[in-house]
Amino acid sequence: MLHHRRTKHCRECGTAVEYRVPADDNRERAVCPSCATVHYENPLNVVGTVPFWEDKVLLCRRNIEPQYGLWTLPAGFMELGETTAEGALRETVEEAGARFDLLDLYSIVNIARVGQVHFFYRAQLLSTDFDPGPETIEARLFSESEVRWEELAFRTVRTTLEHYFADLRRGRFGLWCTDIT
Amino acid sequence: MLHHRRTKHCRECGTAVEYRVPADDNRERAVCPSCATVHYENPLNVVGTVPFWEDKVLLCRRNIEPQYGLWTLPAGFMELGETTAEGALRETVEEAGARFDLLDLYSIVNIARVGQVHFFYRAQLLSTDFDPGPETIEARLFSESEVRWEELAFRTVRTTLEHYFADLRRGRFGLWCTDIT
């Protein structure tokens, strides 16, 4: 769901906030009645990769909620101080323990309903030895026919994999921009 | 600058937060010592357009800080509940009062230093009549030689315009991914 109205107290002074439309604005925001701080709540970016080896892609089986036990591309929330590419690289190291070269941005998926934008870069694997971190039960390569589509953790992952295997068949990779409603 | 450590009080209960690395994490976060809420601070997306008419682009002279009086492409912070494209469309209506067809995503600029990702879509103007909102002093078309490069408000705008006019000269538009340090 959309995480609106999740601010109850002012981050500056701790006073309980009120939701109202500030002057020179047209949306309700959490406003502090004491110190007048306006709290903006904005979409979050999720950054990850499509790591590939020959005709296979690397998927990670999640060791954490949400979607414990299901399969995902390595991805996670973008952090302050990094670029989308740096975040994608970091998440792929953390979750899959893979060695790879980061290639072009491949898939951008908007999920307005939950206030997220997902970015996936193609990543050319340099080895088939993986050393996944604590967030991953198992990291494994799957060809298109081996992917367990009903056991994928997220629709952003399904959409990106569908595009990827279609592009792999035609031998050409572009940038996909998809909206999930 | 990077807006880290800007959370002083817990958004759930108002208690003064402590900065420490939560269990199962590897970064310092604002953690509430009373209710244990962890406050993540993440990058923000800025969404806008390159509105064009023949060989000219539409720029808006800013009526607000920062960079009051300087020229920008129409753009602003992405809001919850919208896609990047919907946000780019909204900002172009609000700031320029332009009529246009939104085309493909054209430029993604990462500015890790300030924790932002900027998205610009190409927008084909349907009219040269503009009705800018209160954030804009004036909206005007500029050919490449008319652009006042030293009066541009932001480096993301400069970078995107440089790519745009180069692509216009060669007659082909792709997607540019640029990092500003």
Side-chain angles (χ1 to χ4, degrees), chain A residues 96-168:
Chain A
R99 289 180 47 234
F100 56 94
D101 286 333
L102 197 73
L103 306 185
D104 289 345
L105 181 57
Y106 176 66
S107 172
I108 298 177
V109 189
N110 270 276
I111 320 117
R113 192 173 47 78
V114 296
Q116 293 184 1
V117 185
H118 291 226
F119 300 72
F120 293 96
Y121 289 77
R122 285 199 304 141
Q124 181 151 32
L125 289 166
L126 302 175
S127 153
T128 57
D129 292 329
F130 313 119
D131 182 21
E135 297 185 5
T136 302
I137 297 168
E138 181 188 359
R140 238 182 72 188
L141 292 169
F142 292 83
S143 67
E144 183 173 11
S145 64
E146 291 166 343
V147 171
R148 301 165 186 180
W149 296 94
E150 72 289 356
E151 293 180 24
L152 294 178
F154 305 110
R155 288 173 65 200
T156 52
V157 169
R158 167 183 276 269
T159 295
T160 299
L161 286 176
E162 284 170 351
H163 290 317
Y164 182 82
F165 285 116
D167 282 358
L168 183 66

Side-chain angles (χ1 to χ4, degrees), chain B residues 16-56:
Chain B
V17 297
E18 298 169 355
Y19 274 81
R20 57 178 175 81
V21 180
D24 303 327
D25 202 340
N26 50 25
R27 284 172 195 246
E28 280 203 340
R29 316 281 181 186
V31 181
C32 179
S34 172
C35 74
T37 296
V38 180
H39 303 75
Y40 298 93
E41 297 170 23
N42 297 88
L44 295 173
N45 291 336
V46 170
V47 287
T49 59
V50 184
F52 62 92
W53 178 270
E54 296 169 352
D55 67 338
K56 294 174 198 264

Side-chain angles (χ1 to χ4, degrees), chain A residues 47-128:
Chain A
V47 288
T49 59
V50 184
F52 63 92
W53 178 270
E54 296 168 353
D55 67 338
K56 295 174 197 268
V57 300
L58 179 64
L59 297 179
C60 297
R61 198 163 166 233
R62 289 173 64 80
N63 197 30
I64 50 171
E65 295 293 351
Q67 305 292 56
Y68 176 92
L70 299 185
W71 294 85
T72 186
L73 290 164
F77 288 110
M78 184 181 178
E79 298 277 4
L80 285 177
E82 68 187 9
T83 64
T84 47
E86 287 166 350
L89 189 149
R90 176 183 52 74
E91 288 289 346
T92 307
V93 170
E94 286 178 4
E95 296 192 355
R99 289 180 47 234
F100 56 94
D101 286 333
L102 197 73
L103 306 185
D104 289 345
L105 181 57
Y106 176 66
S107 172
I108 298 177
V109 189
N110 270 276
I111 320 117
R113 192 173 47 78
V114 296
Q116 293 184 1
V117 185
H118 291 226
F119 300 72
F120 293 96
Y121 289 77
R122 285 199 304 141
Q124 181 151 32
L125 289 166
L126 302 175
S127 153
T128 57

Side-chain angles (χ1 to χ4, degrees), chain B residues 49-53 55-61 71-75 91-93 95-100 120 123 125 127-132 136 138-143 147 152 157 161 164-165:
Chain B
T49 59
V50 184
F52 62 92
W53 178 270
D55 67 338
K56 294 174 198 264
V57 299
L58 179 64
L59 297 179
C60 297
R61 199 165 164 230
W71 295 86
T72 186
L73 290 165
E91 288 289 346
T92 307
V93 170
E95 296 193 354
R99 290 180 46 235
F100 57 93
F120 293 96
L125 289 166
S127 153
T128 58
D129 292 332
F130 311 119
D131 181 21
T136 302
E138 180 188 0
R140 239 182 72 188
L141 292 169
F142 292 84
S143 67
V147 170
L152 294 179
V157 170
L161 287 177
Y164 182 81
F165 284 118

